[in-house]
Amino acid sequence: MSKKRVYLFREGSASMRDLLGGKGANLCEMTNIGLPVPPGFTITTEVCTEYYESGKALPAGLMDEIKAAVTDVETKMGRQFGGSKLPLLVSVRSGAKFSMPGMMDTVLNLGLNPTTIEAMIAETNNPRFVYDSYRRFIMMFSDVAFDLSKHGFDEEIFSDYKKKVGAKTDLDLNAEQMKEVSTLFLKHVKDHIGRDFPTDPYEQLALAIEAVFRSWNNDRAIYYRRTEKIPDEIGTAVNVQSMVYGNAGDDCGTGVAFTRDPSIGTHEVFGEYLMNAQGEDVVAGVRTPVPISELERQSPAVFKQFMEMSKTLENHYRDMQDLEFTIEHNKLFMLQCRSGKRTGPAAVQIAVDMVHEGLITKDEALLRITGSHLDQLLHPRIDPESLHEAKLLAKGLAASPGAAVGKAVFDADRAAELGTHGGNGEKVILVRDETNPDDVHGMMASQGILTARGGKTSHAAVVARGFGIPCVAGAEALAVNVNARQFKVGDVVVKEGDTITMDGSSGSVYLGALKLIDPEVSGAFGELMSWADATRKMKVRANADNPRDAQQAVEFGAEGIGLCRTEHMFFEQDRLPIVQEMILTKDEAVRQAALDKLQIVQQGDFEGIFEVMQGKPVTVRLIDPPLHEFLPNFDGLVAETTELKTRIELGQKGLDEQLEAKTTLLHAVEGMKEANPMLGLRGVRLSIVFPGLVVMQTRAILQAAAKLIKEGKQVFPEIMIPLVSTVNELRVVQLQLEAEAKKIVEEQGVEIPYMFGTMIEIPRAALTAGEIAEYAQFFSFGTNDLTQTTFGFSRDDAESKFLGKYAEQKILVRNPFETLDTVGVGQLMKMAVTEGRKARTGLKCGICGEHGGDPESIYFCNQIGLDYVSCSPFRVPIARLAAAQAAIQDTVKHTTDK
């Protein structure tokens, strides 16, 4: 642990992110390369840890170190903290190692009190500016230090006051009115906390620092960290910086900018600013800002200097930068720089462009792209044909790309309750005047975000872009009424539950549901993927059960099918009656006739899949789930038979045959009912008890392959026997199917390059992999079931009942069904690969569980030497990238180890 707890900006550097946080480290770096940064200091992340370990108290002696740092800043600025002449005011901001925009707390204008107010008025001769700063300080400080919501100040007291005096915006208020607002704010504080607002600047500073440390564990920060997989224990630094004032007059301003467009990645500075405003006004959407290009007209010298600094910082950090700046009486100050949050399309475009510009290498470009970035490239867009008769409601700013359709909802809690972004809940669009950090949970549960106020750098826009959620901001035609749960555009009223369509790429909002179409990925995406493919060692396959999914997988770069689930084909409406007949009959001739019918349709399915895959390997899993899944629900049948009996008892005629049929079906289903079906008659066990079923499937697979081979096409079928726990199960089934395969080859008169293998999804199979590899020609890890059986968890029950508590209490750091448990499940996999390849040289090993599309899990798969990963078609590009990143990281590790 570092002994030094407070660092002046000139004492740190960009390499000290762990200790000073990202914001503090970058403020130090900008200071040291000579940019105009208001002086200040950073309190380290270690102090945050001490704060929590000591029961939420500032460590002994810290305030003495802080006072020494303040003295240094006073000297630099020629001002005095709390002084009656030339007073020094400061901002207090959070700053963790990883960027968490808007998740923690900020205080501006700290140090204002009756003494410093009079001194500033005397210095500036601008009482309106001073009281504007004071009312902002009271509101922000009370929000973070006393937990008094900004809403009570801004939306109630301030808004009511503006209405009372006929002011449309805060700029319409004069000095006396701002002073009166400040007095109302002070009264609000005393009424609610029972004490006067603090006037001692050092008390203010201590309370603000504590508030920032506390904000590390506020609900929105915790939620953000869990989503972004940021460790809880790293803590936040606190940055205390001299205030410069963007609200001191018409030659002052504040803004946020990016050195490249964060939405689409074009190489041009993108940003917004407001004159006579403070930073919160821009990001909170209080006033709609103007594009940065307007600054060139308004203040050419400042604009030129800003553009030069933007270039300097981007070249220095070799990445697109997010910049915050203030102009004070035509003098430019840099308040922050960090690697800018960007959309998926922008991330890819910027990475590829920077390689061409010589700023970064191809490996660096690949490492900068995340799976979520690529996922965003797959966002749908509105079908142009559906726009001809679409009713345009409003136009706003295109703040985050992609189109979305959903029901309008008007508060974050409701959005979180109804929607699950990308999940199985209702599709909702969160509609707000503007969003704030407390809305994040609802934003992430929404298909899209629509705000009436705010710009492209507003909270809504930044968060939406960061998580790949379509967003339209600043749609000023919307009159949002949260209490009535509706918005109006002219005469049109949209109520909660009404469906709207929004396009975050154009800023358009439409009434009703428009048709969306899938995106086309090419250009920079294709180039980046070609670099990934040239770098990775593992192949990438897809899980696909029909020709349509197989085609999608090939288009996204799949090199084969790692899992084709044959039972999914049985659930189609025209086939289910045949399957049920096959299961329920006791007549072997009837059962065989049903199997013969199924063989014809299954062969057609496989022909379609093999045709699409054009010589790429296709792993077909023989039937896996228990047979009762193909039959009607037992409880439903009980209810139906009970109802029929009741109706017959009441005298209704003509129901006897129906009751007899339902009762027979009920008894059959009851006979197949199992106490624990996931560990019951399924997988290889089903193949042993009902051998005719898998013989039929094997014949359908190989006859389909033979047909295409005769047509001069290449086919490589791999037949996979699931849920094996002992080598004898595999031996019995495989020898039977091998005999059937030889018959088919002889009948068809062509050689078929088939393989037989097994899924490793039971711990015993992994532990005895050496024996199993004597028969299996390939292993595929079914990590969904392997995770269930290793942990002893039922996935559905675990995720709904206790995994959330496990995460909160850090019993499990990750949900093991989303990210592979490398310590337990992973070790079984590693053992199986090692022992399997000892028994069979060159044994092909892959993974086909959902983990095959998770980047962290893919890294582990690369480490243990798997030949391929297999995932859903839309995850294929993500898996290709993750496999390349794993190869790069592996190379770096081996180089470092040497």
Side-chain angles (χ1 to χ4, degrees):
M1 180 176 282
S2 170
K3 291 181 180 178
K4 190 175 177 67
R5 297 187 289 193
V6 179
Y7 285 76
L8 296 163
F9 289 164
R10 65 175 181 271
E11 296 175 328
S13 69
S15 64
M16 299 171 69
R17 293 174 63 89
D18 286 349
L19 190 62
L20 304 181
K23 186 177 294 182
N26 287 336
L27 283 166
C28 294
E29 190 76 4
M30 287 195 294
T31 298
N32 292 330
I33 64 175
L35 297 184
V37 177
F41 55 89
T42 301
I43 304 164
T44 68
T45 56
E46 291 176 349
V47 178
C48 182
T49 303
E50 284 186 74
Y51 174 77
Y52 281 103
E53 287 176 350
S54 64
K56 296 186 180 179
L58 293 180
L62 177 67
M63 286 308 296
D64 292 334
E65 295 176 50
I66 289 170
K67 286 177 181 178
V70 169
T71 300
D72 187 283
V73 174
E74 288 175 329
T75 302
K76 279 273 188 186
M77 293 293 290
R79 292 179 171 274
Q80 184 180 1
F81 191 49
S84 58
K85 290 184 179 179
L86 298 177
L88 171 71
L89 303 187
V90 297
S91 64
V92 180
R93 301 172 189 261
S94 62
K97 176 181 178 180
F98 302 103
S99 177
M100 297 172 57
M103 296 302 110
M104 290 179 288
D105 290 333
T106 294
V107 178
L108 303 180
N109 310 318
L110 188 141
L112 280 171
N113 61 21
T115 300
T116 55
I117 286 171
E118 291 306 315
M120 286 189 69
I121 291 173
E123 177 190 351
T124 64
N125 196 30
N126 189 347
R128 187 203 176 280
F129 149 66
V130 177
Y131 282 112
D132 179 41
S133 300
Y134 191 37
R135 64 98 186 168
R136 292 171 185 269
F137 170 52
I138 297 166
M139 177 175 68
M140 298 178 79
F141 184 90
S142 300
D143 179 43
V144 304
F146 302 139
D147 201 26
L148 289 179
S149 170
K150 287 181 185 177
H151 183 86
F153 293 96
D154 205 22
E155 295 298 322
E156 295 176 11
I157 299 171
F158 197 38
S159 290
D160 288 348
Y161 186 86
K162 283 188 287 187
K163 287 177 186 174
K164 175 181 156 186
V165 300
K168 289 186 177 179
T169 73
D170 54 340
L171 293 178
D172 297 326
L173 298 180
N174 60 33
E176 279 303 313
Q177 290 168 329
M178 280 294 186
K179 182 178 181 180
E180 193 174 342
V181 169
S182 300
T183 302
L184 292 171
F185 278 15
L186 291 171
K187 182 178 183 301
H188 180 71
V189 173
K190 187 168 185 179
D191 288 347
H192 283 79
I193 68 169
R195 62 159 286 183
D196 288 323
F197 189 84
T199 57
D200 178 354
Y202 277 104
E203 182 188 4
Q204 293 174 355
L205 184 56
L207 288 170
I209 290 167
E210 282 200 67
V212 170
F213 284 147
R214 285 199 306 273
S215 72
W216 175 249
N217 277 330
N218 68 34
D219 289 344
R220 62 180 184 259
I222 292 170
Y223 186 85
Y224 187 93
R225 288 201 299 275
R226 286 183 184 162
T227 302
E228 291 291 281
K229 298 181 179 177
I230 296 172
D232 289 332
E233 60 271 14
I234 63 173
T236 181
V238 179
N239 300 288
V240 180
Q241 187 174 23
S242 309
M243 282 297 303
V244 286
Y245 305 100
N247 63 327
D250 292 337
D251 58 352
C252 305
T254 187
V256 176
F258 298 82
T259 55
R260 304 193 186 210
D261 189 315
S263 287
I264 57 176
T266 50
H267 194 173
E268 56 188 8
V269 173
F270 167 97
E272 297 168 324
Y273 74 104
L274 282 170
M275 298 306 286
N276 202 5
Q278 286 198 320
E280 286 294 299
D281 297 341
V282 178
V283 296
V286 173
R287 287 159 50 196
T288 300
V290 295
I292 194 74
S293 56
E294 281 292 303
L295 186 59
E296 184 174 21
R297 180 188 60 78
Q298 199 161 14
S299 184
V302 172
F303 179 77
K304 182 173 183 288
Q305 185 187 12
F306 176 75
M307 294 298 286
E308 289 169 353
M309 289 183 189
S310 298
K311 186 174 182 181
T312 297
L313 286 167
E314 182 172 279
N315 289 339
H316 183 78
Y317 285 100
R318 299 166 57 246
D319 196 8
M320 185 264 278
Q321 294 297 294
D322 173 357
L323 310 173
E324 291 184 18
F325 62 93
T326 287
I327 305 162
E328 184 181 78
H329 303 307
N330 289 319
K331 185 175 180 182
L332 179 65
F333 293 91
M334 301 303 294
L335 304 184
Q336 175 172 287
C337 77
R338 61 187 174 196
S339 291
K341 297 285 185 182
R342 61 207 77 178
T343 64
V348 171
Q349 189 65 55
I350 290 168
V352 170
D353 284 349
M354 285 189 167
V355 170
H356 293 317
E357 292 162 20
L359 278 176
I360 61 175
T361 65
K362 290 179 181 178
D363 282 359
E364 286 174 309
L366 289 167
L367 290 173
R368 285 186 182 182
I369 306 302
T370 66
S372 62
H373 283 146
L374 291 191
D375 205 21
Q376 291 171 39
L377 283 166
L378 308 177
H379 275 312
R381 56 193 174 90
I382 296 174
D383 185 346
E385 292 296 318
S386 68
L387 290 173
H388 297 318
E389 297 183 6
K391 181 174 179 57
L392 180 67
L393 282 176
K395 287 282 285 186
L397 300 172
S400 183
V405 176
K407 295 178 179 178
V409 295
F410 292 87
D411 71 80
D413 290 341
R414 182 69 171 155
E417 177 189 346
L418 295 178
T420 54
H421 180 57
N424 298 316
E426 291 189 51
K427 294 184 177 181
V428 299
I429 291 176
L430 180 61
V431 183
R432 304 283 282 165
D433 260 326
E434 61 200 13
T435 64
N436 63 64
D438 291 327
D439 292 330
V440 170
H441 64 298
M443 296 169 74
M444 293 180 63
S446 303
Q447 299 294 309
I449 299 159
L450 171 62
T451 68
R453 297 197 304 228
K456 290 186 178 182
T457 52
S458 66
H459 176 266
V462 171
V463 171
R465 282 197 299 270
F467 290 107
I469 304 168
C471 176
V472 173
E476 295 179 345
L478 270 63
V480 178
N481 187 330
V482 173
N483 292 330
R485 295 189 177 275
Q486 65 180 41
F487 71 81
K488 290 181 69 174
V489 181
D491 296 330
V492 179
V493 178
V494 175
K495 297 179 180 178
E496 184 158 286
D498 291 346
T499 299
I500 57 174
T501 301
M502 50 167 285
D503 185 355
S505 303
S506 69
S508 302
V509 183
Y510 302 93
L511 187 63
L514 302 187
K515 182 182 177 184
L516 304 183
I517 57 176
D518 292 332
E520 297 172 7
V521 286
S522 57
F525 170 84
E527 189 168 5
L528 185 86
M529 285 291 99
S530 71
W531 300 342
D533 293 340
T535 303
R536 61 187 166 88
K537 297 172 185 175
M538 286 189 298
K539 300 285 187 183
V540 176
R541 299 190 186 185
N543 302 339
D545 307 325
N546 54 63
R548 181 190 65 254
D549 287 351
Q551 183 62 48
Q552 183 72 77
V554 170
E555 289 171 6
F556 283 138
E559 297 160 296
I561 290 178
L563 177 63
C564 175
R565 292 157 288 211
T566 53
E567 65 271 5
H568 284 196
M569 302 169 181
F570 290 166
F571 284 107
E572 294 186 22
Q573 194 170 4
D574 59 336
R575 304 176 188 186
L576 196 54
I578 304 173
V579 176
Q580 291 176 346
E581 182 183 35
M582 180 269 297
I583 295 169
L584 294 171
T585 186
K586 294 181 180 177
D587 186 326
E588 284 302 318
V590 173
R591 177 172 287 119
Q592 188 57 53
L595 289 171
D596 291 341
K597 291 178 189 174
L598 288 173
Q599 180 183 312
I600 294 169
V601 294
Q602 284 233 296
Q603 180 173 328
D605 292 329
F606 295 132
E607 288 172 11
I609 291 171
F610 293 149
E611 183 88 48
V612 168
M613 296 311 294
Q614 299 181 359
K616 297 177 177 66
V618 176
T619 303
V620 181
R621 182 180 73 185
L622 299 178
I623 190 165
D624 181 40
L627 292 181
H628 75 79
E629 288 194 10
F630 301 101
L631 299 176
N633 177 267
F634 176 75
D635 291 335
L637 285 172
V638 170
E640 288 177 35
T641 53
T642 301
E643 182 186 347
L644 285 169
K645 287 176 182 177
T646 302
R647 290 165 64 186
I648 290 170
E649 287 171 3
L650 293 173
Q652 193 169 344
K653 305 295 184 182
L655 298 177
D656 292 340
E657 286 186 18
Q658 190 177 347
L659 175 61
E660 185 180 355
K662 289 286 183 186
T663 302
T664 301
L665 184 57
L666 175 63
H667 291 155
V669 172
E670 186 175 22
M672 292 185 176
K673 196 177 177 187
E674 296 177 282
N676 190 345
M678 294 311 293
L679 295 178
L681 182 59
R682 55 170 289 220
V684 69
R685 305 155 199 167
L686 196 57
S687 302
I688 292 168
V689 175
F690 292 99
L693 185 52
V694 289
V695 167
M696 176 277 289
Q697 290 189 309
T698 301
R699 184 163 281 277
I701 294 164
L702 296 183
Q703 287 186 171
K707 182 179 178 184
L708 267 71
I709 290 169
K710 289 176 183 178
E711 294 172 4
K713 296 167 183 172
Q714 286 190 312
V715 182
F716 294 98
E718 300 173 349
I719 300 172
M720 184 159 66
I721 299 165
L723 213 72
V724 165
S725 59
T726 169
V727 66
N728 289 330
E729 290 174 318
L730 181 63
R731 178 181 57 78
V732 167
V733 174
Q734 186 168 322
L735 290 178
Q736 179 188 22
L737 297 182
E738 187 74 61
E740 188 68 22
K742 288 177 180 175
K743 280 189 204 172
I744 296 165
V745 168
E746 188 175 336
E747 290 168 6
Q748 297 296 323
V750 293
E751 287 299 318
I752 306 171
Y754 63 86
M755 298 172 70
F756 280 103
T758 189
M759 285 183 90
I760 303 293
E761 48 193 333
I762 301 291
R764 192 182 190 282
L767 294 168
T768 60
E771 293 179 355
I772 289 173
E774 292 177 20
Y775 289 90
Q777 294 168 285
F778 65 87
F779 285 172
S780 180
F781 291 98
T783 49
N784 298 342
D785 273 347
L786 187 57
T787 298
Q788 289 197 100
T789 52
T790 301
F791 274 95
F793 287 169
S794 159
R795 177 173 185 172
D796 292 342
D797 293 326
E799 291 189 321
S800 65
K801 290 184 171 62
F802 59 83
L803 280 186
K805 287 287 184 188
Y806 274 39
E808 285 174 20
Q809 298 179 38
K810 297 183 176 62
I811 295 169
L812 290 174
V813 179
R814 299 274 191 273
N815 180 336
F817 296 105
E818 294 175 357
T819 298
L820 197 64
D821 162 45
T822 58
V823 176
V825 177
Q827 291 312 302
L828 288 172
M829 293 171 63
K830 184 178 180 180
M831 180 190 304
V833 171
T834 302
E835 296 304 313
R837 285 177 176 162
K838 280 182 187 176
R840 182 182 290 272
T841 303
L843 177 73
K844 186 189 294 186
C845 295
I847 181 174
C848 63
E850 289 178 34
H851 299 101
D854 172 63
E856 286 186 51
S857 305
I858 290 170
Y859 177 77
F860 179 77
C861 292
N862 185 77
Q863 281 188 312
I864 65 172
L866 294 195
D867 296 296
Y868 69 86
V869 297
S870 187
C871 55
S872 69
F874 279 90
R875 299 289 293 180
V876 165
I878 296 167
R880 290 163 64 194
L881 173 70
Q885 292 171 334
I888 293 167
Q889 289 163 345
D890 196 42
T891 301
V892 170
K893 182 177 183 297
H894 287 156
T895 303
T896 305
D897 290 345
K898 289 179 184 177

